């Protein structure tokens, strides 16, 4: 059966880095909200209006991929329960296993990453979120009440990756 991995974390926490590492170990469609945002908006601003177009499009893609039996990794902040709820409904509709992964790093590390991003972006980094977006999103962080995997990307995370791949294959 297909599976759905939903990443949850602030800008700069390492979600995209973790998502790419996971996709190498467990092939899946990697849906990068930053890449999709860049396609939909010439100059992304991370506004509610953008979210109102971006996430419904992301939900349609997930629905279609899972409907074809293709596993999916969602690389987006997903900080609020209301943002994560549609993923659960889509996964349930397709009998897909859903796994939530909270991606974190210390605030100091995140701020350093965001500073580096603003001075020179790595080729695979599509995010336009900067320190200002990070600060605004801090208020949006909600706990994840259901079982989930936690990963601190400021440390070696291969053990967490192994655990997740094993869970997805079981």
């Amino acid at each position: 059966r297909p599976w759905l991995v939903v990443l949850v974390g602030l800008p700069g926490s390492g979600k995209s880095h973790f998502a790419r590492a996971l996709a190498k170990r467990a092939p899946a469609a990697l849906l990068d909200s930053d890449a999709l945002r860049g396609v939909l908006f010439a100059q992304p601003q991370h506004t509610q209006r953008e979210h109102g177009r971006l996430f419904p499009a992301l939900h349609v893609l997930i629905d279609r991929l899972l409907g074809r039996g293709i596993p999916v990794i969602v690389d987006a902040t997903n900080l609020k329960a209301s943002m994560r709820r549609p993923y659960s409904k889509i996964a349930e509709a397709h009998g897909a296993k859903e796994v939530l992964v909270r991606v974190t790093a210390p605030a100091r590390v995140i701020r350093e990453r965001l500073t580096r991003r603003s001075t020179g972006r790595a080729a695979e980094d599509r995010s336009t979120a900067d320190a200002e977006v990070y600060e605004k999103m801090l208020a949006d962080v909600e706990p994840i009440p259901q079982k989930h995997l936690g990963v601190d990307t400021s440390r070696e995370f291969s053990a967490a990756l192994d655990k997740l791949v094993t869970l997805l294959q079981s």
Side-chain angles (χ1 to χ4, degrees):
R1 76 180 198 194
W3 46 261
L4 173 65
V5 171
V6 177
L7 301 182
V8 178
L10 287 161
S13 62
K15 295 179 306 297
S16 296
H17 180 65
F18 185 80
R20 287 188 300 271
L22 175 58
K24 286 179 184 174
R25 296 274 313 277
L30 175 50
L31 300 182
D32 178 345
S33 66
D34 293 318
L36 185 55
R37 186 183 305 270
V39 169
L40 294 174
F41 306 99
Q43 295 189 337
Q45 301 296 310
H46 298 269
T47 63
Q48 287 302 324
R49 182 180 156 273
E50 284 181 14
H51 287 17
R53 284 187 59 201
L54 173 66
F55 286 96
L58 195 59
H59 299 155
V60 168
L61 289 170
I62 295 165
D63 184 56
R64 290 184 180 169
L65 290 164
L66 290 178
R68 292 183 175 112
I70 299 170
V72 177
I73 301 166
V74 179
D75 176 9
T77 56
N78 300 310
L79 299 172
K80 294 183 177 188
S82 62
M83 296 172 78
R84 298 186 294 266
R85 208 167 290 120
Y87 303 127
S88 296
K89 289 180 180 179
I90 296 166
E92 187 177 322
H94 294 287
K97 179 187 294 192
E98 180 189 20
V99 180
L100 298 176
V101 180
R102 165 84 70 187
V103 181
T104 62
R108 170 189 55 77
V109 172
I110 290 175
R111 286 186 177 95
E112 287 171 7
R113 289 174 179 170
L114 294 173
T115 299
R116 278 196 312 269
R117 177 183 288 167
S118 67
T119 59
R121 182 177 318 280
E124 68 274 359
D125 186 2
R126 294 179 179 94
S127 179
T128 56
D130 56 14
E132 183 179 335
V133 171
Y134 166 79
E135 295 297 333
K136 285 180 186 174
M137 287 188 169
L138 277 172
D140 291 338
V141 177
E142 291 181 359
I144 303 174
Q146 63 267 57
K147 187 176 177 182
H148 65 280
L149 178 66
V151 179
D152 180 344
T153 62
S154 70
R155 301 180 179 160
E156 165 53 41
F157 59 75
S158 61
L161 198 54
D162 291 343
K163 182 177 179 178
L164 179 55
V165 170
T166 299
L167 179 64
L168 295 172
Q169 293 172 345
S170 66

